[in-house]
Amino acid sequence: MQTVMVIVGTALLSSFLTALTMIWLWRQIWRQQLEQRLRQLQDDMSRTVETRVRRVITESLADVKPSDMLRDSTWRAAKSGSDLLSDSFSALLSRWRKNTDYTEQP
């Protein structure tokens, strides 16, 4: 009976050690495969991002035409000129109104 217990104990210990060794090896192999997959995914993502950024830049540069830029800059210059004139006229009118109010009161 004692011999059977030794045989069963040895078999269980051997199975346990084999299982631990296999788990350790599987984790090592799995970790290497996982790291390799992550590197591949990073490379793929970087290529995808680079491609998309290039496409967006190309599209944005293609959307801006010289005639549009000239029209926009002309419009901005005219707008700033009209703003300057309206501010100047507003300042003059407000001074004129203040002066006429003072002269009419006495």
Side-chain angles (χ1 to χ4, degrees):
M1 183 78 167
Q2 196 176 24
T3 309
V4 173
M5 293 289 268
V6 170
I7 292 172
V8 170
T10 305
L12 287 175
L13 186 61
S14 174
S15 299
F16 182 71
L17 288 175
T18 303
L20 281 178
T21 305
M22 292 305 294
I23 289 171
W24 181 77
L25 285 174
W26 183 74
R27 282 187 176 178
Q28 292 297 321
I29 292 170
W30 182 69
R31 184 176 294 140
Q32 289 174 356
Q33 289 177 353
L34 183 63
E35 287 174 358
Q36 183 180 8
R37 287 181 185 170
L38 284 175
R39 274 188 249 117
Q40 288 175 349
L41 284 173
Q42 286 175 345
D43 291 343
D44 291 345
M45 289 297 292
S46 66
R47 276 189 245 120
T48 303
V49 168
E50 182 180 355
T51 303
R52 288 183 181 177
V53 166
R54 285 178 190 258
R55 185 180 311 141
V56 166
I57 289 173
T58 304
E59 288 175 359
S60 66
L61 290 176
D63 288 344
V64 177
K65 297 176 184 173
S67 61
D68 293 339
M69 288 177 55
L70 182 61
R71 184 182 65 226
D72 290 343
S73 62
T74 305
W75 184 83
R76 276 185 266 144
K79 174 92 171 108
S80 61
S82 68
D83 289 343
L84 179 65
L85 284 175
S86 72
D87 291 342
S88 299
F89 284 137
S90 296
L92 285 174
L93 288 176
S94 66
R95 284 184 189 169
W96 181 71
R97 285 183 185 157
K98 286 180 185 177
N99 288 341
T100 56
D101 290 341
Y102 288 128
T103 56
E104 289 177 6
Q105 287 179 356

